[in-house]
Amino acid sequence: MSKEVGSDDLGEGDYLPGLTALLQSMDYDPRFTDQGRRVAWGQVVGALRSRAQAIKSMNENPGYDAKPIVSPVVITGVPRTGTTALHRLMAVDPRFQGLQTWLLDAPMPRPPIETWASYPEFQKSVQVLEARYAAAPEQRAAHFRAAEEVHECCMLLWHSFVSNLWSCGWSAATYDAWWQAQSEWPAYLYYYRCVQLIGSSEPEKRWLLKNPGHIENLDLLFAIYPDAKVIQTHRDPAKAIPSLVSLLMTLHALMEEGRLEQRGEIMLRREVAKWSNAARKAEIEREKHPGRVMDVVHGDFHRDPMGVLEKIYAFIDMDISDELRAGFAQRIAEKPELQHGVHRYNITDYGMSEEEAREPFRDYIQRYDLLETRT
């Protein structure tokens, strides 16, 4: 890491308890394949490398944090409810800046786009993604990523090793139990500094951010972004949560030996519990911040994306020019999210009925009218 980054400074030691818990869990919980163990270690080292890169770049760019982040637009919601499609559609608007995948891997002030391909960090991100899709081709259809496209805030939050992401790649029950008892506040402070760093070359440009996990931490989100405009997406949980589990399970055969059916069933129950609790927490925080969150139902967005965009832009106090409208219309017509195939899954593959999956979300489903006509 020191050789690649040129520094072994990882900043404050807030990441150490989580790293310790994760390493202990890796020794105890999963049944790694040989390749899976290498991949898991690669992710741990990669997160540490990214953190070292961020701290190094902060030290090399004094004043990167001179200006606060003003009125960011933040998309969140239970995973697989349309957050990615909405995020990438809105990113067509050149007035926004976002977190590109390669800059999440190697945080630094965002250089001019025409120079990205010359950066070793960009080239490495391309190589890593290509290797991932070669190992699990079905991930292209389920959740395609590209080095140059915007991606999720969670990829900065996981540098602090207090993150839901570390419970998703392989069996990590002991880490998961530890994580659920922690505050992510230090991780959010680090994340905020990274966003400032990446945007320091254009500090006045408005941010467009996205992360499903924010719905569990709206209190922390509003603490760092007091004037944020939040868009929360919604979908029938009996459709969204199995889709998430199906996505996460695509790597199981690569990462672990056996227990495929058992892990899928355990994961679905875990995700239903986690995200139903997150939805309840979000409602509590929303009441404390009236007028700060706009709702978008998955079915409405797919039926009339332009109509939904018009409502969003009114909410965030921005206009849609004729040129921008044409850009939106082109991306909508091209349907780039489907270019790698359709992600297919079935909740019954994971030992649960739709009714069971919906039960913990009963109030949430009723509040946003997510059944039947809006599935």
Side-chain angles (χ1 to χ4, degrees):
M1 180 178 67
S2 178
K3 183 178 180 180
E4 286 188 53
V5 177
S7 173
D8 59 3
D9 184 0
L10 295 167
E12 299 295 328
D14 55 277
Y15 69 96
L16 286 170
L19 177 60
T20 301
L22 178 64
L23 295 179
Q24 291 172 339
S25 172
M26 288 170 65
D27 282 339
Y28 186 79
D29 294 314
R31 296 178 184 173
F32 282 129
T33 62
D34 289 342
Q35 186 176 7
R37 185 174 294 277
R38 289 193 296 271
V39 170
W41 273 106
Q43 290 190 15
V44 172
V45 173
L48 290 170
R49 183 191 302 113
S50 296
R51 185 179 176 103
Q53 169 66 48
I55 299 301
K56 177 174 180 284
S57 192
M58 290 175 190
N59 292 335
E60 291 175 346
N61 292 276
Y64 75 90
D65 55 352
K67 294 188 177 182
I69 296 166
V70 178
S71 191
V73 178
V74 184
I75 300 170
T76 189
V78 172
R80 315 301 286 176
T81 58
T83 56
T84 297
L86 177 59
H87 184 211
R88 292 178 181 171
L89 178 58
M90 290 183 65
V92 168
D93 190 336
R95 293 173 294 179
F96 286 124
Q97 61 175 319
L99 295 170
Q100 284 76 26
T101 295
W102 78 280
L103 291 171
L104 294 168
D105 294 337
M108 66 178 76
R110 186 187 301 101
I113 188 170
E114 61 272 13
T115 68
W116 290 1
S118 67
Y119 279 77
E121 296 87 351
F122 180 89
Q123 297 163 13
K124 185 177 182 63
S125 288
V126 171
Q127 293 166 4
V128 168
L129 288 170
E130 285 303 315
R132 172 173 295 183
Y133 295 132
E138 60 270 37
Q139 283 218 338
R140 287 185 183 271
H143 188 67
F144 181 73
R145 292 167 55 192
E148 68 277 9
E149 282 200 314
V150 290
H151 195 38
E152 301 182 5
C153 307
C154 58
M155 304 309 296
L156 291 174
L157 289 163
W158 88 323
H159 297 174
S160 296
F161 291 91
V162 185
S163 167
N164 175 61
L165 286 186
W166 291 112
S167 297
C168 295
W170 54 82
S171 300
T174 53
Y175 174 83
D176 194 35
W178 174 87
W179 166 75
Q180 292 188 47
Q182 308 306 308
S183 167
E184 293 190 38
W185 179 237
Y188 268 76
L189 291 175
Y190 166 83
Y191 152 71
Y192 182 84
R193 292 168 61 205
C194 285
V195 176
Q196 284 185 302
L197 173 70
I198 293 169
S200 60
S201 54
E202 298 179 288
E204 306 300 332
K205 199 169 187 179
R206 195 170 189 180
W207 275 98
L208 175 66
L209 301 164
K210 173 253 183 175
N211 181 30
H214 287 323
I215 65 165
E216 191 165 18
N217 293 299
L218 283 183
D219 55 337
L220 305 183
L221 187 74
F222 281 127
I224 61 170
Y225 301 135
D227 55 355
K229 293 279 192 172
V230 176
I231 303 163
Q232 185 175 349
T233 57
H234 307 279
R235 184 186 183 190
D236 178 359
K239 309 295 184 185
I241 306 299
S243 176
L244 171 64
V245 172
S246 175
L247 169 64
L248 297 177
M249 288 298 293
T250 57
L251 289 174
H252 180 81
L254 170 71
M255 298 300 297
E256 296 193 58
E257 298 174 346
R259 302 193 296 185
L260 177 68
E261 182 176 339
Q262 183 182 29
R263 182 159 183 251
E265 292 182 4
I266 290 171
M267 184 177 289
L268 180 56
R269 295 190 182 278
R270 186 259 184 190
E271 299 301 320
V272 166
K274 172 191 164 44
W275 294 106
S276 60
N277 181 61
R280 285 190 293 271
K281 288 182 65 177
E283 290 302 326
I284 294 171
E285 291 303 319
R286 288 175 54 140
E287 291 179 1
K288 301 175 185 177
H289 302 276
R292 301 287 299 286
V293 182
M294 175 184 168
D295 298 302
V296 172
V297 173
H298 183 267
D300 293 343
F301 176 62
H302 279 271
R303 277 189 295 272
D304 183 15
M306 193 65 75
V308 168
L309 283 173
E310 289 171 352
K311 293 177 182 177
I312 289 173
Y313 270 70
F315 172 68
I316 63 177
D317 300 315
M318 292 176 68
D319 66 298
I320 301 178
S321 67
D322 291 342
E323 183 179 3
L324 179 58
R325 188 178 298 274
F328 284 150
Q330 180 178 348
R331 185 174 177 94
I332 292 166
E334 290 174 350
K335 296 182 171 62
E337 281 71 31
L338 299 179
Q339 66 181 320
H340 300 288
V342 178
H343 178 214
R344 301 192 183 280
Y345 58 92
N346 193 320
I347 190 171
T348 58
D349 293 340
Y350 307 111
M352 184 182 288
S353 68
E354 291 188 349
E355 290 71 22
E356 288 178 284
R358 289 176 181 133
E359 180 58 29
F361 290 92
R362 182 185 298 176
D363 292 344
Y364 168 79
I365 290 170
Q366 291 177 347
R367 182 177 295 110
Y368 299 104
D369 186 20
L370 299 179
L371 291 185
E372 298 190 59
T373 60
R374 286 185 168 179
T375 57

